[in-house]
Amino acid sequence: MKEYVMGNGAIALGALAAGVNLVAGYPGTPSSEIIETVSKYPHEGVHLEWSVNEKAALEVAAAAAYSGARALVTMKQMGLNVASDPLMSVAYVGVKGGLVIVSADDPGPISSQTEQDTRRYADFCRIPVFDPSSPEEAFEMIGEAFEYSEKYSTPVLFRPTTRVCHAYAAVDVPEKFAPKQYEGFIKDSGRWVIFPRLSYLNHGIIEKRNSEIADDFSSFRFNTTEGDAGEKAVIASGVSYAYVKEALKNHRDTRIIRVATAFPFPEKFVLNALSGVKEVICFEELSPYIEEQVLKLSGRYHLDLKVSGKLDGSVPHNGENSVELCADILSSFFCVSFKEKSNGMNEIPPLPARPPVLCAGCPHRASFYAVKQAMKGKKAFFCGDIGCYTLGNAMPLDMVDTCLCMGAGITMAQGLNHTDNKAVCFAFIGDSTFFASGMTGVVNAVYNEADIVICILDNSTTAMTGHQPHPGTGRNMMGNFVDKVDISKVLSGMGVKRIETVNPLELDKAVQTVSKLAGERGVKAIIFKSPCIAITKPEGKCEVDQDKCKKCKKCIKEIGCPALVTEDGTVRIDSNLCTGCGLCSEICPFGAIGGACGE
Amino acid sequence: MNKDIMICGIGGQGTVLASKIIAAAAAEQGDTVHSAETIGMAQRGGSVTSHVRIGDEAFSPLIPNGSADLILAFEPAEAVRNLRYLKEGGTVVVNTCAVKPVTEALRPSGYEAGVMIDYLKSRCSSIFVDADKVCEPFGSSKFFNIILLGIACGSGKLGIGKETLLSQIEKRVPAKYAEINKNAFITGFNIGSKAGI
């Protein structure tokens, strides 16, 4: 049955078609829809979970693969940094059932902190990597990834990029899925317990095996050559292959070599495809991985070959590739114009910028504002974290001084406290991020006697990536209602002695709580509890009483809510956006805003 | 035959549903379809685009510059922002009502729709639609995406049959809103067929 699905959906369905038994992951753009798709299709007999973080997900999945089951792990590229500890080790130990780790890369970056390249991890860990160029290919290739994983008893990486994850295409989905039959965990401490001796032995075995995989990959059906062999050729991988195909669609005779398995590098295939070629240009996003392999090849075999790409400045190192970019570079490379006629775009009128902002009614706005008010005139540092609340950095709130990686807000507030004990140091962290990687930092701060205020912005969901449940929500991906893990009790158990829970929309109370705790010693925690507006129904709408409004615009200048608009000098509330949170009515010095919830 | 259709607007305007209906309807006609959406941080209040590519000769998930046969723009500045995708002789169907940036009240940008409309008039053949006016009988601007589809279909520029689109609308909107959405489509279709482009 043909289904029109997103690339991430294709990966999920491909894994189900391959008989996957366990799927675990942590949300992160552009990977989140893989697990969501599994949950929407029949998946009886498959264990499905949002793990608390990527490290946990990989460890759960590794054990399943030790048992002979097929396991899929999903994450974004930076999640692989979190999972890198078990990844390095499981690469040495190996698996019995197929273990496929999807790490979605984000060239651009469009919604990430780094432009790192998962293929480097494959090389670093000495495990195979698959690099699909379209949703259709991803659907088929994920099944092959399981086959290779089992054939060579190794975990494998699967690396789509944003334009594959978020593209849509039709794939042929089987009517029924059947999970793999597996024998279960068989004790064998010589195999499953990592010791220096085992790592030494396996290191040798792995390198020998990798040259076998490289040969096997030389006949892999997604490593392809097309066009006529001439003196010039193009190498491409991932979605860049699609861009090059499109740029050269009227020049079918051009030699295009597509490498879908960057590691172990299919040396024989590439060597053969390059026979007679004097100049080659490489198109790949993120790092010049394939380009480096071709250079190595050229050195080893003394090829008379000029290699172009990122390293000689022909292709940009950063950002995404595109059809236009490839056409432009190929025009210089072949000394022929491949450019399409485009609509002349000169004298464009200035366009309005549309930066992302916290939603109208977002409780994070109120939490940040409460801290800002309480710290007025005082020296304070605000350490942010990864989630919607990173947007607290925007004007007029301006409440994020640092943002590094998941969980770093708490530990960085501690670091700033140890270097400046005159400043009040705050950490802001969301509920899902708290469970993912905040807890370790809390223990560290308590043990090392930091004076910090931890603000947990608990909106009862993982908002930024599309509202996934987490341990604090009382719901899991098996569709079960489970005991909620209570953040306050967790903090208390870790030794935090001062813990307050407030509703950020009760502004005065929230400000007082912050003022009180900021003056105390030790690790303090404030849980700002109010649900994300996208998962609740608005309770009412606010309205401006134009007779009372003095047009001072304090509401706009203080909180910058997108529902507050000006029209010919008067302040109005956009009823399409307002959720009735009432924060603006608490700020108005003239009592001109009413109709909020709770009134 | 290849056809590239770009849909652009602002997060929350219903562009994704419009692109899904077009893609599904083209697939129902037996065409090969690919599409791509903006997902993530930009979804709320940011500029969003959907790329729908019909035909076997489309490899890139994104429409290359100068290739779009049709741009469906939910907002005038977004039409101008994405005009580089339009091919020579292509058509733009555009809402004439400006949506100011969410930061407008804080930092006025001086943005007005008129400048964008004049620019479009000087550059390409366009069908201009006042979204506020056409949506009025339906009581909500939420129906604009379906009206816009109707206009594109009625103008003959979409290359997908009226009945195919109507059946996809019926499949993809909640049952209790099916009738009103079909009416919205017909309203658009009638505007489009009189547009004379």
Side-chain angles (χ1 to χ4, degrees):
Chain A
M1 185 179 52
K2 281 269 184 195
E3 292 234 28
Y4 191 68
V5 294
M6 188 192 275
N8 281 337
I11 292 169
L13 295 170
L16 284 170
V20 72
N21 303 97
L22 180 143
V23 185
Y26 187 76
T29 313
S31 72
S32 311
E33 298 83 3
I34 301 172
I35 284 186
E36 287 172 349
T37 304
V38 175
S39 78
K40 283 176 196 149
Y41 282 79
H43 57 277
E44 211 187 330
V46 179
H47 174 82
L48 180 63
E49 71 170 53
W50 282 123
S51 308
V52 291
N53 63 26
E54 296 85 353
K55 172 173 147 66
L58 178 50
E59 290 156 351
V60 167
Y66 287 4
S67 305
R70 286 193 162 183
L72 180 76
V73 193
T74 77
M75 61 195 69
K76 70 182 293 171
Q77 90 280 32
M78 279 154 355
L80 197 59
N81 301 339
V82 177
S84 62
D85 198 359
L87 179 68
M88 281 307 288
S89 294
V90 75
Y92 276 86
V93 173
V95 293
K96 188 155 82 181
L99 175 58
V100 179
I101 302 143
V102 177
S103 167
D105 282 348
D106 184 23
I110 299 170
S111 38
S112 300
Q113 288 80 44
T114 68
E115 279 203 301
Q116 65 187 70
D117 189 330
T118 291
R119 298 174 305 167
R120 295 276 180 207
Y121 263 108
D123 186 323
F124 187 33
C125 303
R126 320 303 290 163
I127 59 173
V129 61
F130 296 82
D131 191 3
S133 74
S134 68
E136 295 97 322
E137 251 177 47
F139 176 72
E140 292 183 35
M141 218 187 264
I142 196 96
E144 307 246 10
F146 277 108
E147 295 291 330
Y148 272 91
S149 175
E150 288 180 357
K151 182 173 173 189
Y152 292 98
S153 305
T154 177
V156 302
L157 280 162
F158 192 87
R159 167 327 265 244
T161 54
T162 306
R163 299 302 179 191
V164 173
C165 292
H166 289 170
Y168 286 75
V171 296
D172 217 348
V173 184
E175 297 287 332
K176 259 188 166 172
F177 302 114
K180 182 193 166 186
Q181 301 290 319
Y182 56 94
E183 57 178 340
F185 184 66
I186 311 283
K187 291 187 185 199
D188 182 355
S189 64
R191 184 173 180 188
W192 304 126
V193 180
I194 191 164
F195 265 117
R197 176 81 189 151
L198 179 81
S199 301
Y200 165 77
L201 291 172
N202 282 0
H203 187 185
I205 293 168
I206 286 165
E207 290 304 336
K208 195 161 158 280
R209 171 207 75 195
N210 279 350
S211 41
E212 286 167 34
I213 299 178
D215 286 352
D216 206 343
F217 276 167
S218 281
S219 54
F220 184 53
R221 65 183 169 122
F222 292 107
N223 289 327
T224 54
T225 313
E226 57 208 271
D228 305 326
E231 293 209 338
K232 290 186 178 185
V234 185
I235 294 187
S237 76
V239 74
S240 297
Y241 168 67
Y243 297 149
V244 167
K245 282 269 284 186
E246 179 118 10
L248 296 173
K249 69 178 174 191
N250 298 322
H251 303 265
R252 291 263 169 90
D253 51 347
T254 315
R255 166 141 293 193
I256 307 173
I257 303 160
R258 184 259 296 260
V259 181
T261 54
F263 185 88
F265 194 66
E267 199 175 284
K268 286 183 181 158
F269 158 73
V270 176
L271 206 56
N272 186 41
L274 284 173
S275 103
V277 174
K278 300 261 181 268
E279 278 185 62
V280 66
I281 187 159
C282 306
F283 287 96
E284 55 195 318
E285 288 173 320
L286 303 170
S287 73
Y289 185 79
I290 289 173
E291 189 181 348
E292 287 171 10
Q293 301 314 305
V294 175
L295 281 168
K296 275 189 202 168
L297 207 63
S298 173
R300 183 174 303 134
Y301 294 92
H302 302 287
L303 303 180
D304 176 17
L305 182 70
K306 182 173 181 276
V307 183
S308 294
K310 291 174 189 281
L311 295 172
D312 74 343
S314 300
V315 181
H317 279 280
N318 54 343
E320 287 190 277
N321 288 341
S322 64
V323 175
E324 297 80 14
L325 182 92
C326 294
D328 218 20
I329 296 166
L330 286 167
S331 300
S332 316
F333 182 74
F334 285 103
C335 309
V336 182
S337 178
F338 299 112
K339 289 179 212 172
E340 293 267 335
K341 265 194 207 164
S342 82
N343 210 297
M345 283 289 287
N346 30 29
E347 296 151 36
I348 305 173
L351 295 166
R354 301 190 192 274
V357 291
L358 290 172
C359 301
C362 175
H364 296 336
R365 179 178 288 105
S367 305
F368 282 123
Y369 188 69
V371 176
K372 190 173 183 170
Q373 286 304 101
M375 287 298 106
K376 225 173 198 171
K378 296 196 178 82
K379 188 176 188 186
F381 296 137
F382 307 114
C383 297
D385 221 297
I386 309 290
C388 287
Y389 46 95
T390 316
L391 297 173
N393 77 321
M395 298 304 275
L397 288 171
D398 189 19
M399 283 294 286
V400 178
D401 296 328
T402 68
C403 178
L404 188 66
C405 64
M406 293 280 287
I410 295 172
T411 25
M412 293 191 87
Q414 192 196 331
L416 291 179
N417 167 243
H418 295 322
T419 47
D420 184 348
N421 59 15
K422 299 271 190 304
V424 187
C425 297
F426 285 85
F428 293 92
I429 187 165
D431 41 349
S432 183
T433 309
F434 175 79
F435 289 114
S437 53
M439 298 190 293
T440 319
V442 176
V443 178
N444 197 61
V446 169
Y447 173 55
N448 291 298
E449 303 174 278
D451 293 319
I452 60 170
V453 187
I454 302 167
C455 299
I456 292 154
L457 308 178
D458 182 359
N459 63 359
S460 303
T461 188
T462 317
M464 182 60 110
T465 47
H467 304 98
Q468 292 81 9
H470 62 66
T473 62
R475 201 158 49 80
N476 67 20
M477 287 307 273
M478 295 304 283
N480 297 330
F481 289 95
V482 293
D483 287 342
K484 290 182 184 178
V485 178
D486 185 320
I487 295 177
S488 176
K489 284 185 183 158
V490 171
L491 288 165
S492 168
M494 290 191 298
V496 179
K497 296 208 169 58
R498 293 289 280 126
I499 304 161
E500 297 273 353
T501 301
V502 293
N503 178 355
L505 298 172
E506 290 173 13
L507 186 62
D508 291 342
K509 225 163 124 187
V511 174
Q512 281 163 22
T513 306
V514 177
S515 299
K516 192 173 65 185
L517 265 64
E520 297 179 14
R521 299 294 304 270
V523 177
K524 291 82 59 182
I526 305 168
I527 303 167
F528 289 96
K529 202 167 172 52
S530 183
C532 174
I533 55 118
I535 57 169
T536 45
K537 280 213 156 99
E539 289 181 36
K541 308 272 180 199
C542 291
E543 265 179 57
V544 180
D545 183 338
Q546 297 299 346
D547 294 334
K548 289 188 191 165
C549 177
K550 306 276 188 240
K551 303 181 178 52
C552 70
K553 298 190 187 149
K554 186 181 179 197
C555 52
I556 291 171
K557 290 177 200 152
E558 293 282 299
I559 56 171
C561 174
L564 291 163
V565 295
T566 50
E567 246 176 23
D568 307 322
T570 60
V571 178
R572 205 169 56 74
I573 289 169
D574 184 341
S575 63
N576 288 317
L577 294 175
C578 180
T579 65
C581 81
L583 182 64
C584 54
S585 68
E586 294 182 82
I587 286 162
C588 178
F590 307 105
I593 305 175
C597 54
E599 282 184 22
Chain B
M1 232 277 298
N2 287 297
K3 207 172 210 22
D4 286 338
I5 300 156
M6 153 148 292
I7 298 149
C8 58
I10 292 150
Q13 282 188 313
T15 54
V16 174
L17 179 64
S19 101
K20 282 194 173 155
I21 290 170
I22 294 175
E28 197 184 312
Q29 299 192 147
D31 292 319
T32 304
V33 192
H34 290 92
S35 57
E37 309 281 358
T38 314
I39 289 161
M41 224 183 200
Q43 273 177 297
R44 278 176 191 274
S47 302
V48 294
T49 54
S50 296
H51 301 239
V52 182
R53 311 200 67 192
I54 303 168
D56 293 318
E57 287 296 297
F59 301 102
S60 160
L62 305 179
I63 298 171
N65 284 348
S67 293
D69 298 87
L70 181 65
I71 294 181
L72 302 181
F74 284 59
E75 207 277 342
E78 297 312 307
V80 174
R81 200 188 301 279
N82 292 292
L83 200 61
R84 66 176 189 280
Y85 291 106
L86 193 70
K87 71 153 72 148
E88 238 175 86
T91 306
V92 178
V93 186
V94 55
N95 168 21
T96 53
C97 306
V99 177
K100 302 271 172 87
V102 288
T103 50
E104 183 75 12
L106 205 60
R107 258 177 290 126
S109 61
Y111 160 49
E112 296 295 340
V115 185
M116 303 297 156
I117 291 164
D118 290 344
Y119 184 80
L120 291 169
K121 278 182 180 160
S122 73
R123 291 277 155 180
C124 56
S125 84
S126 305
I127 301 174
F128 295 99
V129 195
D130 182 330
D132 290 350
K133 214 169 111 191
V134 295
C135 290
E136 210 183 353
F138 300 96
S140 165
S141 59
K142 291 204 159 70
F143 295 97
F144 185 66
N145 55 1
I146 301 297
I147 298 176
L148 196 57
L149 277 184
I151 297 171
C153 181
S155 75
K157 297 286 175 189
L158 195 58
I160 300 171
K162 183 179 171 183
E163 297 308 320
T164 319
L165 284 162
L166 278 169
S167 85
Q168 282 300 332
I169 291 169
E170 192 160 5
K171 266 187 210 163
R172 279 163 198 274
V173 303
K176 60 177 175 175
Y177 298 116
E179 210 47 46
I180 187 163
N181 273 293
K182 285 195 273 181
N183 287 337
F185 180 85
I186 299 296
T187 301
F189 187 89
N190 292 336
I191 298 171
S193 46
K194 285 182 208 128
I197 279 191

